[in-house]
Amino acid sequence: MKPKKSQMYSHTTLGIFAMIVSSLCFSLMNMCVKFLHDLSPMEIIFFRSIVMVGFLACFWIYKPPNQKAKKKGGLPKLLFRAITGGLSMIALFYNISSIPLGTASAFAQTMPLYAVMFSVIFLKERVRFSTILASIIGFVGVLCICDPSSKSLGADNIIAGIIGGAMMALAFISLRGLKEYYDESVIIMVFGLSMSVIAGVGMFIEIPNLSGFSFPSAKDWVGIFMLGVFGTLGQIFVTRSYMLAPAGIVSPIDYSRILWGVVFGVMMGDALPNLITTSGILLIIISGTMIALPVFLRDYKQIQKQSSV
């Protein structure tokens, strides 16, 4: 039985709305990370994860996850998603704590570039010339935001930006196949638990500029709570978005995180990006849009075709 036209459009619309909300929530979460500058990145990740696990545990009391109709055997993929997503978060939080928020967000949004690269290297997929061109444009954008003349970026920030984008790409690729195995709340819960353990141990290991523990002040606890709220909502809505609508339709919307990052960063005291950094941010947005455009058109035409039947 084919889905009704109204059902398909409602799912796609809800998926688009979920991605818009997710991008805003994650941007607000990043602003909270900037606010908690007195705490180490590992400590921030620990508290963020603990709060998220607590929210989900309360949610499960009223609505336990439904696993009756799901496939078995998805644990390796689930753990892989948790590890890659965790490494991406560590790299992102490290950069947010030490460089302008807009630049850190731009590094995170290089994910499609690495997704293309991984698909060629590991999956042996053929890519269009337009995709190759878009990837080149994107990497030029990365070089621009790594502008050597800028004193705001060090080698550690560049390495963290590359690792963050690459790990996010692997986490995204694994997320697409997990909906066949697990309820979305289970995926988020495992991610939260794994990050609680990793960050809980990591903040007591000597890692320069990344680990360390200091007892939060009263204002820090407010920031931690808001960090957990926005992080949990962002995780819920991004997972829901990719499960409701085709990735090609919703993924370009996620680039609004960069714009939110610049706006919120300036509100938190960051300087406006210089011309080279701004050019790099625009090139990354153009690149990601070019990569997503063929998929967007394909998914849109498919929706239109199915709805006309």
Side-chain angles (χ1 to χ4, degrees):
M1 183 177 179
K2 293 183 178 180
K4 296 180 181 179
K5 179 178 180 179
S6 58
Q7 287 180 320
M8 284 186 295
Y9 275 116
S10 63
H11 284 180
T12 303
T13 302
L14 287 173
I16 291 171
F17 176 75
M19 182 57 77
I20 293 172
V21 175
S22 166
S23 298
L24 178 58
C25 287
F26 276 132
S27 299
L28 289 168
M29 179 196 75
N30 293 343
M31 187 170 69
C32 291
V33 175
K34 200 80 171 175
F35 174 78
L36 296 168
H37 56 85
D38 292 332
L39 307 181
S40 71
M42 279 292 189
E43 186 176 358
I44 295 172
I45 292 171
F46 172 76
F47 283 119
R48 188 266 198 194
S49 303
I50 285 293
V51 173
M52 183 172 71
V53 168
F55 277 126
L56 285 175
C58 294
F59 178 75
W60 277 7
I61 294 175
Y62 296 97
K63 187 180 179 181
N66 179 19
Q67 292 297 109
K68 292 181 180 179
K70 301 292 182 179
K71 291 170 61 176
K72 304 294 183 181
L75 183 59
K77 292 183 179 181
L78 185 64
L79 294 177
F80 180 78
R81 189 261 181 244
I83 293 170
T84 53
L87 290 173
S88 174
M89 181 185 292
I90 291 171
L92 173 62
F93 279 26
Y94 176 79
N95 270 351
I96 290 174
S97 66
S98 54
I99 63 176
L101 189 54
T103 305
S105 300
F107 268 125
Q109 295 308 109
T110 59
M111 180 270 289
L113 308 180
Y114 298 102
V116 171
M117 184 173 66
F118 292 147
S119 67
V120 173
I121 295 174
F122 298 117
L123 303 179
K124 307 299 180 183
E125 292 183 357
R126 293 184 179 182
V127 295
R128 302 180 181 186
F129 174 75
S130 60
T131 303
I132 296 175
L133 178 62
S135 300
I136 294 172
I137 292 173
F139 281 113
V140 171
V142 173
L143 292 176
C144 288
I145 64 175
C146 295
D147 176 22
S149 65
S150 174
K151 296 181 180 180
S152 62
L153 288 183
D156 53 339
N157 298 122
I158 295 172
I159 293 171
I162 293 171
I163 291 174
M167 291 299 104
M168 188 179 294
L170 291 174
F172 166 73
I173 291 171
S174 64
L175 180 61
R176 287 184 293 182
L178 280 173
K179 63 182 179 181
E180 299 178 357
Y181 297 93
Y182 297 101
D183 183 90
E184 60 190 77
S185 64
V186 174
I187 298 172
I188 299 170
M189 176 63 85
V190 172
F191 175 71
L193 288 172
S194 63
M195 287 313 303
S196 298
V197 174
I198 292 172
V201 173
M203 64 183 172
F204 295 108
I205 299 175
E206 288 297 327
I207 307 175
N209 303 320
L210 192 61
S211 60
F213 177 82
S214 59
F215 196 81
S217 65
K219 70 171 185 176
D220 287 338
W221 283 117
V222 175
I224 287 169
F225 177 76
M226 297 308 298
L227 174 81
V229 171
F230 291 129
T232 303
L233 290 175
Q235 203 72 49
I236 290 172
F237 279 107
V238 73
T239 305
R240 169 62 68 177
S241 177
Y242 283 117
M243 288 185 169
L244 281 172
I249 299 292
V250 297
S251 57
I253 301 170
D254 204 29
Y255 280 89
S256 61
R257 285 198 212 185
I258 299 179
L259 302 179
W260 285 120
V262 172
V263 172
F264 292 151
V266 171
M267 290 172 59
M268 296 292 291
D270 290 342
L272 285 169
N274 60 30
L275 181 60
I276 296 178
T277 302
T278 301
S279 299
I281 290 173
L282 291 175
L283 287 174
I284 289 172
I285 294 174
I286 292 170
S287 168
T289 304
M290 288 176 64
I291 291 172
L293 186 60
V295 184
F296 173 85
L297 294 174
R298 183 199 66 196
D299 291 339
Y300 181 76
K301 288 178 181 177
Q302 185 176 1
I303 292 173
Q304 290 285 78
K305 183 178 179 180
Q306 291 176 348
S307 64
S308 63
V309 176

